[in-house]
Amino acid sequence: MRKKPSLFTANERRIALIVLLTAGVLTLGIMALEGMFRPSLGLYGSSMSAPSLPNVIDAQPLAKF
């Protein structure tokens, strides 16, 4: 019985495994770091109050039911 020729060499398979493991570790590391920091919400995340415009009245309901 003849042995089927391999598509990749043993060295290529080893390098591919190392690359996949490195990518997995890097992805998990980045995900862990993202979880440690609060996301930036830009202007919406700041505690600044909205600027009040002159001659503008706050919205109020017309009637209560």
Side-chain angles (χ1 to χ4, degrees), residues 9-65:
T9 65
N11 193 29
E12 290 172 333
R13 287 192 299 266
R14 184 177 56 84
I15 291 172
L17 179 63
I18 291 171
V19 168
L20 288 174
L21 288 175
T22 303
V25 168
L26 185 62
T27 301
L28 290 175
I30 290 173
M31 289 173 64
L33 285 175
E34 278 184 341
M36 293 172 60
F37 298 105
R38 187 173 166 214
S40 172
L41 301 176
L43 180 62
Y44 300 107
S46 63
S47 62
M48 294 174 40
S49 61
S52 60
L53 299 174
N55 300 325
V56 175
I57 301 172
D58 288 339
Q60 296 176 359
L62 296 175
K64 294 181 183 180
F65 294 100

